[in-house]
Amino acid sequence: MIAGVFPGQGSQSPGMASGWGAQEALASAVFAEASAVLGYDLWALVAEGSAEELGRTEITQPAMLAADIAAWRCYRAAGGRMPVAMAGHSLGEYAALVAAESLAFADAVALVAERGRLMQAAVAPGAGAMAAVLGLSDEAVLGVCAEAAEGEVCEAVNFNSPGQVVVAGDAAAVARAEPLAKAAGAKRFVLLPVSVPSHSSLMREAAARLADALATVPLVPPVVPVLHNVDAKTHDDAVAIRHALVEQLHRPVQWVACVEALAARGALRQLEFGPGKVLSGLAKRIDKNITSLPVWDEASLTAAM
């Protein structure tokens, strides 16, 4: 059985979503639909813009959503069958809900653009940071964060795979975590090129404002189960889905639990719809019984079918 997974922020790159060959018109149509909502040419920005511009959160989020859905629609147009369940990493959760027909694509574009603006506004430039800690247990990372905080915010925010946890918070606190993590035995401590400390408690105000935006957006039960980041559970009614999306913004992404829950449903073949192959790499570290394949251009789609 197949599961569909959708990457989020961090997988973007200039030129992504090109390379679809005969289906390029379908992919560009997705970006045209998003551009109509946003009021600027998203396809041109992705094709011709700089990595720095594409890395701005308020642009990254709709761009990644469009790239994920372009991959999904190309897969379905090629005759790909519906997965038995879906999940998306952080921002990718919105793509999963679109693919599962719970959330209209145009509404999702508007939502993630607003989500990006709210996140960017929540923390002053340079005041927040995120870093990947490699080679420590979850418990060890939690201990490092507690010691590094010193009255500021330093939290484990992405449980991506065994031995890979992302921390986020105030820039000074995250900086204090580096020597502590290395002293505890971390193999690497890698600062991430992001502009906001996603999924940390510094996003509480942004989450509260996102709740207002979500309240106006129609949501229906997904046609296939979507596992949510905040609890690795499925939710079928609009109130619960909205709550999960709000909580996700300021609470950790439980990606290991999501992948394990997909596998528990018998979905040991995962297709990653969107740029790169980050989630495919994580799946192999979470459960060696999972076969995960990226779908992000014509060649990878052919290989995955």
Side-chain angles (χ1 to χ4, degrees):
M1 291 189 284
I2 294 173
V5 295
F6 297 82
Q9 196 164 343
S11 291
Q12 74 274 4
S13 63
M16 66 181 183
S18 61
W20 282 107
Q23 298 203 71
E24 186 120 346
L26 178 56
S28 64
V30 174
F31 279 79
E33 188 177 346
S35 297
V37 175
L38 297 168
Y40 60 84
D41 190 337
L42 187 61
W43 182 262
L45 192 153
V46 169
E48 304 165 9
S50 66
E52 182 180 8
E53 188 173 22
L54 189 58
R56 288 167 46 199
T57 297
E58 67 272 25
I59 292 175
T60 309
Q61 296 202 28
M64 274 300 301
L65 174 68
D68 286 2
I69 295 305
W72 167 252
R73 289 186 180 173
C74 287
Y75 164 78
R76 292 291 280 166
R81 68 180 189 268
M82 183 68 79
V84 298
M86 300 183 188
H89 190 285
S90 186
L91 169 71
E93 192 165 288
Y94 289 81
L97 289 168
V98 171
E101 302 176 21
S102 177
L103 174 63
F105 177 59
D107 288 337
V109 171
L111 272 175
V112 301
E114 178 67 6
R115 183 178 183 264
R117 285 191 291 269
L118 292 171
M119 291 170 69
Q120 195 70 66
V123 179
M130 298 183 76
V133 183
L134 307 180
L136 289 183
S137 67
D138 294 353
E139 294 73 18
V141 174
L142 291 171
V144 165
C145 288
E147 187 175 351
E150 296 184 11
E152 293 185 308
V153 172
C154 184
E155 299 165 349
V157 297
N158 291 358
F159 294 95
N160 284 336
S161 71
Q164 186 188 128
V165 179
V166 173
V167 301
D170 292 298
V174 172
R176 288 192 293 270
E178 181 171 6
L180 295 171
K182 290 180 177 177
K187 294 178 182 177
R188 296 181 67 195
F189 187 97
V190 184
L191 285 173
L192 303 179
V194 296
S195 53
V196 293
S198 305
H199 307 293
S200 75
S201 56
L202 294 175
M203 292 292 109
R204 285 186 182 276
E205 182 178 348
R209 295 185 179 183
L210 180 64
D212 295 335
L214 276 162
T216 66
V217 174
L219 287 161
V220 298
V223 296
V224 297
V226 173
L227 294 162
H228 290 269
N229 289 178
V230 72
D231 55 11
K233 296 179 180 178
T234 63
H235 301 287
D236 291 330
D237 66 276
V239 172
I241 293 171
R242 290 188 183 101
H243 180 71
L245 292 173
V246 170
E247 291 293 291
Q248 182 230 67
L249 192 54
H250 68 93
R251 288 178 57 188
V253 171
Q254 303 290 346
W255 190 247
V256 172
C258 286
V259 172
E260 290 175 341
L262 291 172
R265 291 172 175 263
L268 294 178
R269 180 178 173 87
Q270 293 186 3
L271 299 182
E272 178 180 0
F273 298 103
K277 49 186 177 182
V278 170
L279 301 185
S280 295
L282 294 178
K284 294 173 185 176
R285 291 194 285 273
I286 294 169
D287 187 339
K288 295 187 184 303
N289 294 313
I290 294 173
T291 299
S292 186
L293 299 171
V295 177
W296 58 279
D297 63 5
E298 187 176 37
S300 60
L301 172 60
T302 300
M305 295 297 286

